[in-house]
Amino acid sequence: MNSTTQFNRKTLPDIGRDQESVLSELRQLKSSDMDWKSGRVPLYVFGATDSLTEFGKAAFMEFFSENALGARRAFPSVQHMEREVIEIALDLFHAPPGAAGFMTTGGTESITLAVQTCRNWSRRTRGDLTAPLNIVACETVHPAFDKAAALMDLQVRRVPAGPDFRADVAAMDLAIDGSTIMLVGSAPCFPFGVIDPVSELGELAQRRSLWLHVDACVGGYLAPFARALGRPVAEFDFGVPGVSSISADLHKFGFCPKPASTVFYRSADLAEHHPFEFDDWPNGRYATTTLVGTRPAGGVAAAWAVMHHLGREGYLEIAHNLLTFMDKYKSDINSIEGLSVLGDPQLSIAAFGSDVLDVYALAEKMQQRGWLPGLVRKPRAIHRMMSMLHARSHDAFMSDLRAAMSELSRNPQSVSGLQATY
Ligand SMILES: *Cc1c(COP(=O)(O)O)cnc(C)c1O
């Protein structure tokens, strides 16, 4: 008796099938997925143009088998590309000489490493610390900080945002105590797409002698170009005194294939606490700058290739197109009576709420029309993180939204039981 009959569990087929038939079933499986290509999924997948996506994929495939774990010893090409990606980004983020950075496989990994580096640095430089150590952050920061804190037995103190949904710096100041090791602001935050007042956070960090991490995972590779286009995007990077570290995802608005993210430190003194080194086992020295060991070199190669293909001009053009689309999206939402965009989002995320109806009921109606809802809980809002994939279906989205609004206006008291999920 095999385990299928025993446990009703899928088992390895005794005899394999030909490749074409397996691939065709695999493609068939996709048919039950949401149609992300036409912008019906409000997060997870980003894109600028189809040709850029294909180019990133081609570059990735050139290094499909290589392992970035072995970059130092076996694949100097991968080490070279990683170093160039980091140098380019340090320049974009106005890093002073001596600053350093590392590529990782995602925002969560970049954040976890920054928290660990801060924890290690704090232990080394501050003899007075008593556990549990804590991180003081705006309530809008990404759960990756809590995930990192759970790994390292730290606490995250989430401080309510101000009425503009940005970090309340005075309230954060009050939450600091002798066990605080890190302050966190976002550029922008995921829930509302607004940029925390990084300059004021930098002043606070300097006054209290604390490490300030700026989580630019979602906006890091868009904000510099938005600023260059003259958009009112506040300074968020190493140009702000007091910023110790920055996380920024290439696989979001750097328009690079997954997995690719980056983490940076203002100085070599801080960065020195980042690498992991171990020597006490039969195979000798094991040193990494990531949490993961084996890591796809394709992510490194594709990021390098996308940066070199686009150049400053290419990124500026994408930023111009995307932000022009966002302007239209925000003004179209605000033009619907009863709906309004929350706060003043300047990049690619916006959430909108309503003072006349339950927006979750509206989201439910949009879901029935094939749009996966993104939801914010406090205040109740519909959330979308958008790239040019969403521009394609803007008219369809707006007309479905208007239709859903007028349906609801006949039953304005309806309340939805939808739950917000990332
Ligand atoms: C996406 C995101 C992260 C986490 O990135 P992953 O690549 O999903 O691990 C962190 N912070 C912000 C603000 C994000 O939007």
Side-chain angles (χ1 to χ4, degrees), residues 46 104-111 140-145 147 186-191 215-219 247 249 251-253 258 260-261 349 385 422:
F46 312 92
T104 72
T105 57
T108 302
E109 189 180 12
S110 292
I111 287 167
T140 56
V141 304
H142 194 275
F145 291 92
K147 197 187 246 188
S186 308
C189 70
F190 182 79
D215 180 17
C217 274
V218 69
S247 46
D249 290 348
H251 64 203
K252 288 178 184 157
F253 294 90
K258 296 176 271 290
S261 175
I349 292 176
M385 167 151 67
Y422 188 98

PDB file of all heavy atoms in Angstrom, residues 46 104-111 140-145 147 186-191 215-219 247 249 251-253 258 260-261 349 385 422, ligand 1:
ATOM      1  N   PHE A  46       5.271  43.503 -10.463  1.00  0.00           N
ATOM      2  CA  PHE A  46       5.478  44.866 -10.965  1.00  0.00           C
ATOM      3  C   PHE A  46       6.044  44.794 -12.365  1.00  0.00           C
ATOM      4  O   PHE A  46       6.712  43.839 -12.724  1.00  0.00           O
ATOM      5  CB  PHE A  46       6.467  45.610 -10.063  1.00  0.00           C
ATOM      6  CG  PHE A  46       6.111  45.461  -8.628  1.00  0.00           C
ATOM      7  CD1 PHE A  46       6.653  44.433  -7.872  1.00  0.00           C
ATOM      8  CD2 PHE A  46       5.176  46.286  -8.051  1.00  0.00           C
ATOM      9  CE1 PHE A  46       6.287  44.253  -6.554  1.00  0.00           C
ATOM     10  CE2 PHE A  46       4.801  46.120  -6.731  1.00  0.00           C
ATOM     11  CZ  PHE A  46       5.356  45.098  -5.989  1.00  0.00           C
ATOM     12  N   THR A 104      20.782  41.275  -1.514  1.00  0.00           N
ATOM     13  CA  THR A 104      20.097  40.197  -0.808  1.00  0.00           C
ATOM     14  C   THR A 104      18.988  39.678  -1.722  1.00  0.00           C
ATOM     15  O   THR A 104      18.848  40.145  -2.847  1.00  0.00           O
ATOM     16  CB  THR A 104      19.445  40.684   0.500  1.00  0.00           C
ATOM     17  OG1 THR A 104      18.309  41.495   0.174  1.00  0.00           O
ATOM     18  CG2 THR A 104      20.410  41.490   1.360  1.00  0.00           C
ATOM     19  N   THR A 105      18.195  38.764  -1.189  1.00  0.00           N
ATOM     20  CA  THR A 105      17.133  38.181  -2.014  1.00  0.00           C
ATOM     21  C   THR A 105      15.778  38.856  -1.799  1.00  0.00           C
ATOM     22  O   THR A 105      14.788  38.430  -2.385  1.00  0.00           O
ATOM     23  CB  THR A 105      16.979  36.676  -1.719  1.00  0.00           C
ATOM     24  OG1 THR A 105      16.722  36.510  -0.335  1.00  0.00           O
ATOM     25  CG2 THR A 105      18.234  35.920  -2.109  1.00  0.00           C
ATOM     26  N   GLY A 106      15.701  39.877  -0.948  1.00  0.00           N
ATOM     27  CA  GLY A 106      14.400  40.527  -0.785  1.00  0.00           C
ATOM     28  C   GLY A 106      14.408  41.537   0.345  1.00  0.00           C
ATOM     29  O   GLY A 106      15.371  41.626   1.126  1.00  0.00           O
ATOM     30  N   GLY A 107      13.327  42.286   0.423  1.00  0.00           N
ATOM     31  CA  GLY A 107      13.221  43.327   1.432  1.00  0.00           C
ATOM     32  C   GLY A 107      13.297  42.761   2.837  1.00  0.00           C
ATOM     33  O   GLY A 107      13.935  43.336   3.725  1.00  0.00           O
ATOM     34  N   THR A 108      12.641  41.634   3.046  1.00  0.00           N
ATOM     35  CA  THR A 108      12.641  41.031   4.380  1.00  0.00           C
ATOM     36  C   THR A 108      14.063  40.663   4.790  1.00  0.00           C
ATOM     37  O   THR A 108      14.472  40.894   5.941  1.00  0.00           O
ATOM     38  CB  THR A 108      11.730  39.797   4.398  1.00  0.00           C
ATOM     39  OG1 THR A 108      10.413  40.208   4.013  1.00  0.00           O
ATOM     40  CG2 THR A 108      11.695  39.144   5.767  1.00  0.00           C
ATOM     41  N   GLU A 109      14.831  40.134   3.853  1.00  0.00           N
ATOM     42  CA  GLU A 109      16.212  39.772   4.167  1.00  0.00           C
ATOM     43  C   GLU A 109      17.058  41.027   4.413  1.00  0.00           C
ATOM     44  O   GLU A 109      17.861  41.066   5.353  1.00  0.00           O
ATOM     45  CB  GLU A 109      16.820  38.919   3.046  1.00  0.00           C
ATOM     46  CG  GLU A 109      18.173  38.337   3.455  1.00  0.00           C
ATOM     47  CD  GLU A 109      18.825  37.472   2.386  1.00  0.00           C
ATOM     48  OE1 GLU A 109      18.356  37.487   1.232  1.00  0.00           O
ATOM     49  OE2 GLU A 109      19.811  36.798   2.715  1.00  0.00           O
ATOM     50  N   SER A 110      16.858  42.055   3.593  1.00  0.00           N
ATOM     51  CA  SER A 110      17.613  43.306   3.795  1.00  0.00           C
ATOM     52  C   SER A 110      17.320  43.892   5.173  1.00  0.00           C
ATOM     53  O   SER A 110      18.220  44.336   5.887  1.00  0.00           O
ATOM     54  CB  SER A 110      17.243  44.332   2.713  1.00  0.00           C
ATOM     55  OG  SER A 110      17.699  43.907   1.446  1.00  0.00           O
ATOM     56  N   ILE A 111      16.044  43.900   5.548  1.00  0.00           N
ATOM     57  CA  ILE A 111      15.641  44.474   6.835  1.00  0.00           C
ATOM     58  C   ILE A 111      16.179  43.630   7.988  1.00  0.00           C
ATOM     59  O   ILE A 111      16.713  44.156   8.972  1.00  0.00           O
ATOM     60  CB  ILE A 111      14.103  44.606   6.888  1.00  0.00           C
ATOM     61  CG1 ILE A 111      13.657  45.749   5.968  1.00  0.00           C
ATOM     62  CG2 ILE A 111      13.611  44.814   8.326  1.00  0.00           C
ATOM     63  CD1 ILE A 111      12.162  45.795   5.695  1.00  0.00           C
ATOM     64  N   THR A 140       3.215  52.126  10.801  1.00  0.00           N
ATOM     65  CA  THR A 140       3.023  51.746   9.394  1.00  0.00           C
ATOM     66  C   THR A 140       4.186  50.945   8.817  1.00  0.00           C
ATOM     67  O   THR A 140       4.137  50.586   7.648  1.00  0.00           O
ATOM     68  CB  THR A 140       2.854  53.013   8.538  1.00  0.00           C
ATOM     69  OG1 THR A 140       3.999  53.850   8.743  1.00  0.00           O
ATOM     70  CG2 THR A 140       1.582  53.776   8.902  1.00  0.00           C
ATOM     71  N   VAL A 141       5.244  50.688   9.603  1.00  0.00           N
ATOM     72  CA  VAL A 141       6.389  49.974   9.015  1.00  0.00           C
ATOM     73  C   VAL A 141       6.027  48.522   8.721  1.00  0.00           C
ATOM     74  O   VAL A 141       5.116  47.942   9.314  1.00  0.00           O
ATOM     75  CB  VAL A 141       7.688  50.048   9.868  1.00  0.00           C
ATOM     76  CG1 VAL A 141       8.084  51.486  10.137  1.00  0.00           C
ATOM     77  CG2 VAL A 141       7.587  49.233  11.146  1.00  0.00           C
ATOM     78  N   HIS A 142       6.762  47.947   7.801  1.00  0.00           N
ATOM     79  CA  HIS A 142       6.495  46.595   7.301  1.00  0.00           C
ATOM     80  C   HIS A 142       6.689  45.536   8.401  1.00  0.00           C
ATOM     81  O   HIS A 142       7.575  45.682   9.250  1.00  0.00           O
ATOM     82  CB  HIS A 142       7.460  46.326   6.134  1.00  0.00           C
ATOM     83  CG  HIS A 142       7.111  45.135   5.317  1.00  0.00           C
ATOM     84  ND1 HIS A 142       7.504  43.856   5.650  1.00  0.00           N
ATOM     85  CD2 HIS A 142       6.388  45.023   4.183  1.00  0.00           C
ATOM     86  CE1 HIS A 142       7.042  43.013   4.736  1.00  0.00           C
ATOM     87  NE2 HIS A 142       6.359  43.689   3.835  1.00  0.00           N
ATOM     88  N   PRO A 143       5.879  44.447   8.367  1.00  0.00           N
ATOM     89  CA  PRO A 143       6.027  43.372   9.367  1.00  0.00           C
ATOM     90  C   PRO A 143       7.396  42.695   9.353  1.00  0.00           C
ATOM     91  O   PRO A 143       7.719  41.945  10.288  1.00  0.00           O
ATOM     92  CB  PRO A 143       4.949  42.350   8.966  1.00  0.00           C
ATOM     93  CG  PRO A 143       4.003  43.086   8.089  1.00  0.00           C
ATOM     94  CD  PRO A 143       4.746  44.223   7.465  1.00  0.00           C
ATOM     95  N   ALA A 144       8.210  42.956   8.341  1.00  0.00           N
ATOM     96  CA  ALA A 144       9.559  42.366   8.318  1.00  0.00           C
ATOM     97  C   ALA A 144      10.342  42.759   9.574  1.00  0.00           C
ATOM     98  O   ALA A 144      11.196  41.988  10.037  1.00  0.00           O
ATOM     99  CB  ALA A 144      10.311  42.816   7.066  1.00  0.00           C
ATOM    100  N   PHE A 145      10.061  43.936  10.139  1.00  0.00           N
ATOM    101  CA  PHE A 145      10.766  44.336  11.367  1.00  0.00           C
ATOM    102  C   PHE A 145      10.366  43.446  12.544  1.00  0.00           C
ATOM    103  O   PHE A 145      11.193  43.100  13.381  1.00  0.00           O
ATOM    104  CB  PHE A 145      10.513  45.822  11.683  1.00  0.00           C
ATOM    105  CG  PHE A 145      11.185  46.721  10.684  1.00  0.00           C
ATOM    106  CD1 PHE A 145      10.499  47.159   9.558  1.00  0.00           C
ATOM    107  CD2 PHE A 145      12.519  47.069  10.832  1.00  0.00           C
ATOM    108  CE1 PHE A 145      11.130  47.952   8.603  1.00  0.00           C
ATOM    109  CE2 PHE A 145      13.164  47.854   9.882  1.00  0.00           C
ATOM    110  CZ  PHE A 145      12.468  48.293   8.765  1.00  0.00           C
ATOM    111  N   LYS A 147       9.264  40.382  12.188  1.00  0.00           N
ATOM    112  CA  LYS A 147       9.822  39.059  11.895  1.00  0.00           C
ATOM    113  C   LYS A 147      11.280  39.004  12.356  1.00  0.00           C
ATOM    114  O   LYS A 147      11.709  38.041  13.003  1.00  0.00           O
ATOM    115  CB  LYS A 147       9.719  38.806  10.383  1.00  0.00           C
ATOM    116  CG  LYS A 147       9.880  37.375   9.978  1.00  0.00           C
ATOM    117  CD  LYS A 147       9.924  37.280   8.454  1.00  0.00           C
ATOM    118  CE  LYS A 147       8.726  36.534   7.920  1.00  0.00           C
ATOM    119  NZ  LYS A 147       8.841  36.274   6.469  1.00  0.00           N
ATOM    120  N   SER A 186       9.819  54.958   7.005  1.00  0.00           N
ATOM    121  CA  SER A 186       9.670  54.348   5.679  1.00  0.00           C
ATOM    122  C   SER A 186       9.633  55.407   4.588  1.00  0.00           C
ATOM    123  O   SER A 186       9.137  56.506   4.789  1.00  0.00           O
ATOM    124  CB  SER A 186       8.370  53.540   5.607  1.00  0.00           C
ATOM    125  OG  SER A 186       8.277  52.626   6.668  1.00  0.00           O
ATOM    126  N   ALA A 187      10.151  55.033   3.416  1.00  0.00           N
ATOM    127  CA  ALA A 187      10.157  55.953   2.277  1.00  0.00           C
ATOM    128  C   ALA A 187       9.764  55.213   1.001  1.00  0.00           C
ATOM    129  O   ALA A 187      10.640  54.848   0.234  1.00  0.00           O
ATOM    130  CB  ALA A 187      11.534  56.597   2.135  1.00  0.00           C
ATOM    131  N   PRO A 188       8.487  55.022   0.758  1.00  0.00           N
ATOM    132  CA  PRO A 188       7.348  55.345   1.613  1.00  0.00           C
ATOM    133  C   PRO A 188       6.930  54.118   2.417  1.00  0.00           C
ATOM    134  O   PRO A 188       7.487  53.034   2.239  1.00  0.00           O
ATOM    135  CB  PRO A 188       6.258  55.681   0.585  1.00  0.00           C
ATOM    136  CG  PRO A 188       6.522  54.699  -0.519  1.00  0.00           C
ATOM    137  CD  PRO A 188       8.031  54.512  -0.553  1.00  0.00           C
ATOM    138  N   CYS A 189       5.897  54.280   3.267  1.00  0.00           N
ATOM    139  CA  CYS A 189       5.341  53.127   3.979  1.00  0.00           C
ATOM    140  C   CYS A 189       4.390  52.383   3.039  1.00  0.00           C
ATOM    141  O   CYS A 189       3.824  52.962   2.104  1.00  0.00           O
ATOM    142  CB  CYS A 189       4.604  53.576   5.232  1.00  0.00           C
ATOM    143  SG  CYS A 189       3.071  54.469   4.922  1.00  0.00           S
ATOM    144  N   PHE A 190       4.235  51.101   3.300  1.00  0.00           N
ATOM    145  CA  PHE A 190       3.360  50.284   2.455  1.00  0.00           C
ATOM    146  C   PHE A 190       1.882  50.677   2.574  1.00  0.00           C
ATOM    147  O   PHE A 190       1.208  50.811   1.547  1.00  0.00           O
ATOM    148  CB  PHE A 190       3.561  48.799   2.797  1.00  0.00           C
ATOM    149  CG  PHE A 190       2.734  47.883   1.954  1.00  0.00           C
ATOM    150  CD1 PHE A 190       3.119  47.557   0.662  1.00  0.00           C
ATOM    151  CD2 PHE A 190       1.548  47.353   2.442  1.00  0.00           C
ATOM    152  CE1 PHE A 190       2.334  46.727  -0.130  1.00  0.00           C
ATOM    153  CE2 PHE A 190       0.761  46.517   1.658  1.00  0.00           C
ATOM    154  CZ  PHE A 190       1.160  46.204   0.366  1.00  0.00           C
ATOM    155  N   PRO A 191       1.338  50.890   3.774  1.00  0.00           N
ATOM    156  CA  PRO A 191      -0.121  51.076   3.858  1.00  0.00           C
ATOM    157  C   PRO A 191      -0.659  52.303   3.122  1.00  0.00           C
ATOM    158  O   PRO A 191      -1.735  52.231   2.537  1.00  0.00           O
ATOM    159  CB  PRO A 191      -0.379  51.203   5.367  1.00  0.00           C
ATOM    160  CG  PRO A 191       0.782  50.519   6.019  1.00  0.00           C
ATOM    161  CD  PRO A 191       1.950  50.790   5.119  1.00  0.00           C
ATOM    162  N   ASP A 215      13.450  52.442   5.667  1.00  0.00           N
ATOM    163  CA  ASP A 215      12.993  51.342   4.821  1.00  0.00           C
ATOM    164  C   ASP A 215      12.462  51.923   3.516  1.00  0.00           C
ATOM    165  O   ASP A 215      11.315  52.355   3.429  1.00  0.00           O
ATOM    166  CB  ASP A 215      11.917  50.518   5.532  1.00  0.00           C
ATOM    167  CG  ASP A 215      11.444  49.370   4.646  1.00  0.00           C
ATOM    168  OD1 ASP A 215      12.174  49.045   3.676  1.00  0.00           O
ATOM    169  OD2 ASP A 215      10.367  48.808   4.910  1.00  0.00           O
ATOM    170  N   ALA A 216      13.347  51.902   2.521  1.00  0.00           N
ATOM    171  CA  ALA A 216      12.971  52.379   1.179  1.00  0.00           C
ATOM    172  C   ALA A 216      12.772  51.182   0.259  1.00  0.00           C
ATOM    173  O   ALA A 216      13.031  51.258  -0.942  1.00  0.00           O
ATOM    174  CB  ALA A 216      14.034  53.322   0.644  1.00  0.00           C
ATOM    175  N   CYS A 217      12.322  50.048   0.850  1.00  0.00           N
ATOM    176  CA  CYS A 217      12.152  48.835   0.048  1.00  0.00           C
ATOM    177  C   CYS A 217      11.299  49.107  -1.179  1.00  0.00           C
ATOM    178  O   CYS A 217      11.642  48.756  -2.288  1.00  0.00           O
ATOM    179  CB  CYS A 217      11.524  47.721   0.890  1.00  0.00           C
ATOM    180  SG  CYS A 217      12.778  46.795   1.790  1.00  0.00           S
ATOM    181  N   VAL A 218      10.160  49.762  -0.957  1.00  0.00           N
ATOM    182  CA  VAL A 218       9.235  49.895  -2.076  1.00  0.00           C
ATOM    183  C   VAL A 218       9.513  51.148  -2.910  1.00  0.00           C
ATOM    184  O   VAL A 218       9.255  51.171  -4.103  1.00  0.00           O
ATOM    185  CB  VAL A 218       7.771  49.789  -1.569  1.00  0.00           C
ATOM    186  CG1 VAL A 218       7.360  50.986  -0.739  1.00  0.00           C
ATOM    187  CG2 VAL A 218       6.809  49.599  -2.715  1.00  0.00           C
ATOM    188  N   GLY A 219      10.108  52.178  -2.314  1.00  0.00           N
ATOM    189  CA  GLY A 219      10.283  53.410  -3.074  1.00  0.00           C
ATOM    190  C   GLY A 219      11.707  53.770  -3.440  1.00  0.00           C
ATOM    191  O   GLY A 219      11.942  54.713  -4.184  1.00  0.00           O
ATOM    192  N   SER A 247      17.214  50.146   3.342  1.00  0.00           N
ATOM    193  CA  SER A 247      16.890  48.950   2.559  1.00  0.00           C
ATOM    194  C   SER A 247      16.121  49.395   1.322  1.00  0.00           C
ATOM    195  O   SER A 247      15.290  50.300   1.406  1.00  0.00           O
ATOM    196  CB  SER A 247      16.044  47.968   3.388  1.00  0.00           C
ATOM    197  OG  SER A 247      14.979  48.635   4.062  1.00  0.00           O
ATOM    198  N   ASP A 249      14.444  47.657  -2.467  1.00  0.00           N
ATOM    199  CA  ASP A 249      14.235  46.454  -3.280  1.00  0.00           C
ATOM    200  C   ASP A 249      14.360  46.734  -4.770  1.00  0.00           C
ATOM    201  O   ASP A 249      13.604  47.525  -5.335  1.00  0.00           O
ATOM    202  CB  ASP A 249      12.826  45.887  -3.032  1.00  0.00           C
ATOM    203  CG  ASP A 249      12.671  45.283  -1.648  1.00  0.00           C
ATOM    204  OD1 ASP A 249      13.697  45.092  -0.964  1.00  0.00           O
ATOM    205  OD2 ASP A 249      11.525  44.982  -1.273  1.00  0.00           O
ATOM    206  N   HIS A 251      13.678  44.353  -6.857  1.00  0.00           N
ATOM    207  CA  HIS A 251      12.612  43.579  -7.508  1.00  0.00           C
ATOM    208  C   HIS A 251      11.227  44.205  -7.372  1.00  0.00           C
ATOM    209  O   HIS A 251      10.235  43.613  -7.772  1.00  0.00           O
ATOM    210  CB  HIS A 251      12.638  42.109  -7.068  1.00  0.00           C
ATOM    211  CG  HIS A 251      12.370  41.838  -5.606  1.00  0.00           C
ATOM    212  ND1 HIS A 251      12.813  40.681  -4.989  1.00  0.00           N
ATOM    213  CD2 HIS A 251      11.729  42.547  -4.652  1.00  0.00           C
ATOM    214  CE1 HIS A 251      12.418  40.706  -3.722  1.00  0.00           C
ATOM    215  NE2 HIS A 251      11.764  41.819  -3.491  1.00  0.00           N
ATOM    216  N   LYS A 252      11.168  45.400  -6.824  1.00  0.00           N
ATOM    217  CA  LYS A 252       9.907  46.155  -6.875  1.00  0.00           C
ATOM    218  C   LYS A 252      10.101  47.264  -7.913  1.00  0.00           C
ATOM    219  O   LYS A 252      10.103  47.003  -9.093  1.00  0.00           O
ATOM    220  CB  LYS A 252       9.538  46.681  -5.496  1.00  0.00           C
ATOM    221  CG  LYS A 252       9.064  45.554  -4.570  1.00  0.00           C
ATOM    222  CD  LYS A 252       8.752  46.064  -3.197  1.00  0.00           C
ATOM    223  CE  LYS A 252       8.376  44.914  -2.275  1.00  0.00           C
ATOM    224  NZ  LYS A 252       8.606  45.286  -0.865  1.00  0.00           N
ATOM    225  N   PHE A 253      10.336  48.520  -7.441  1.00  0.00           N
ATOM    226  CA  PHE A 253      10.363  49.609  -8.413  1.00  0.00           C
ATOM    227  C   PHE A 253      11.747  49.902  -8.986  1.00  0.00           C
ATOM    228  O   PHE A 253      11.965  50.942  -9.582  1.00  0.00           O
ATOM    229  CB  PHE A 253       9.629  50.819  -7.842  1.00  0.00           C
ATOM    230  CG  PHE A 253       8.170  50.493  -7.685  1.00  0.00           C
ATOM    231  CD1 PHE A 253       7.667  49.949  -6.506  1.00  0.00           C
ATOM    232  CD2 PHE A 253       7.316  50.617  -8.765  1.00  0.00           C
ATOM    233  CE1 PHE A 253       6.333  49.579  -6.398  1.00  0.00           C
ATOM    234  CE2 PHE A 253       5.986  50.243  -8.676  1.00  0.00           C
ATOM    235  CZ  PHE A 253       5.489  49.728  -7.487  1.00  0.00           C
ATOM    236  N   LYS A 258      12.805  39.120  -9.632  1.00  0.00           N
ATOM    237  CA  LYS A 258      12.972  38.571  -8.295  1.00  0.00           C
ATOM    238  C   LYS A 258      14.005  37.435  -8.358  1.00  0.00           C
ATOM    239  O   LYS A 258      14.015  36.717  -9.355  1.00  0.00           O
ATOM    240  CB  LYS A 258      11.629  38.006  -7.791  1.00  0.00           C
ATOM    241  CG  LYS A 258      10.559  39.071  -7.621  1.00  0.00           C
ATOM    242  CD  LYS A 258       9.210  38.467  -7.208  1.00  0.00           C
ATOM    243  CE  LYS A 258       8.337  38.080  -8.370  1.00  0.00           C
ATOM    244  NZ  LYS A 258       7.764  39.152  -9.176  1.00  0.00           N
ATOM    245  N   ALA A 260      15.803  40.151  -5.773  1.00  0.00           N
ATOM    246  CA  ALA A 260      16.886  41.138  -5.731  1.00  0.00           C
ATOM    247  C   ALA A 260      16.512  42.319  -4.853  1.00  0.00           C
ATOM    248  O   ALA A 260      15.537  43.022  -5.104  1.00  0.00           O
ATOM    249  CB  ALA A 260      17.217  41.634  -7.138  1.00  0.00           C
ATOM    250  N   SER A 261      17.308  42.496  -3.803  1.00  0.00           N
ATOM    251  CA  SER A 261      17.146  43.654  -2.926  1.00  0.00           C
ATOM    252  C   SER A 261      18.538  44.120  -2.503  1.00  0.00           C
ATOM    253  O   SER A 261      19.550  43.475  -2.836  1.00  0.00           O
ATOM    254  CB  SER A 261      16.297  43.265  -1.709  1.00  0.00           C
ATOM    255  OG  SER A 261      16.210  44.335  -0.778  1.00  0.00           O
ATOM    256  N   ILE A 349       2.188  53.975  -4.511  1.00  0.00           N
ATOM    257  CA  ILE A 349       1.152  53.370  -3.675  1.00  0.00           C
ATOM    258  C   ILE A 349       0.150  54.455  -3.313  1.00  0.00           C
ATOM    259  O   ILE A 349       0.545  55.568  -2.982  1.00  0.00           O
ATOM    260  CB  ILE A 349       1.747  52.810  -2.368  1.00  0.00           C
ATOM    261  CG1 ILE A 349       2.648  51.609  -2.651  1.00  0.00           C
ATOM    262  CG2 ILE A 349       0.646  52.426  -1.377  1.00  0.00           C
ATOM    263  CD1 ILE A 349       3.341  51.062  -1.414  1.00  0.00           C
ATOM    264  N   MET A 385      -0.850  49.082  -4.980  1.00  0.00           N
ATOM    265  CA  MET A 385       0.564  49.387  -5.233  1.00  0.00           C
ATOM    266  C   MET A 385       0.728  49.178  -6.730  1.00  0.00           C
ATOM    267  O   MET A 385       0.563  48.061  -7.226  1.00  0.00           O
ATOM    268  CB  MET A 385       1.428  48.424  -4.428  1.00  0.00           C
ATOM    269  CG  MET A 385       2.869  48.424  -4.836  1.00  0.00           C
ATOM    270  SD  MET A 385       3.971  48.008  -3.474  1.00  0.00           S
ATOM    271  CE  MET A 385       3.591  46.330  -3.112  1.00  0.00           C
ATOM    272  N   TYR A 422      -2.359  40.942   3.584  1.00  0.00           N
ATOM    273  CA  TYR A 422      -1.264  41.428   2.720  1.00  0.00           C
ATOM    274  C   TYR A 422      -1.150  40.535   1.503  1.00  0.00           C
ATOM    275  O   TYR A 422      -1.028  39.334   1.631  1.00  0.00           O
ATOM    276  CB  TYR A 422       0.029  41.383   3.520  1.00  0.00           C
ATOM    277  CG  TYR A 422       1.238  42.032   2.866  1.00  0.00           C
ATOM    278  CD1 TYR A 422       1.616  43.322   3.213  1.00  0.00           C
ATOM    279  CD2 TYR A 422       1.996  41.346   1.932  1.00  0.00           C
ATOM    280  CE1 TYR A 422       2.740  43.914   2.657  1.00  0.00           C
ATOM    281  CE2 TYR A 422       3.123  41.943   1.357  1.00  0.00           C
ATOM    282  CZ  TYR A 422       3.488  43.224   1.730  1.00  0.00           C
ATOM    283  OH  TYR A 422       4.606  43.813   1.182  1.00  0.00           O
TER     284      TYR A 422
HETATM  285  C1  LIG B   1       7.771  44.902   0.098  1.00  0.00           C
HETATM  286  C2  LIG B   1       8.218  45.614   1.298  1.00  0.00           C
HETATM  287  C3  LIG B   1       9.104  45.012   2.207  1.00  0.00           C
HETATM  288  C4  LIG B   1       9.496  43.549   2.161  1.00  0.00           C
HETATM  289  O1  LIG B   1      10.008  43.123   0.974  1.00  0.00           O
HETATM  290  P1  LIG B   1       9.979  41.592   0.483  1.00  0.00           P
HETATM  291  O2  LIG B   1      10.796  41.683  -0.760  1.00  0.00           O
HETATM  292  O3  LIG B   1       8.537  41.223   0.253  1.00  0.00           O
HETATM  293  O4  LIG B   1      10.606  40.736   1.526  1.00  0.00           O
HETATM  294  C5  LIG B   1       9.569  45.809   3.228  1.00  0.00           C
HETATM  295  N1  LIG B   1       9.174  47.074   3.378  1.00  0.00           N
HETATM  296  C6  LIG B   1       8.299  47.679   2.537  1.00  0.00           C
HETATM  297  C7  LIG B   1       7.892  49.105   2.768  1.00  0.00           C
HETATM  298  C8  LIG B   1       7.777  46.952   1.468  1.00  0.00           C
HETATM  299  O5  LIG B   1       6.874  47.504   0.653  1.00  0.00           O
END
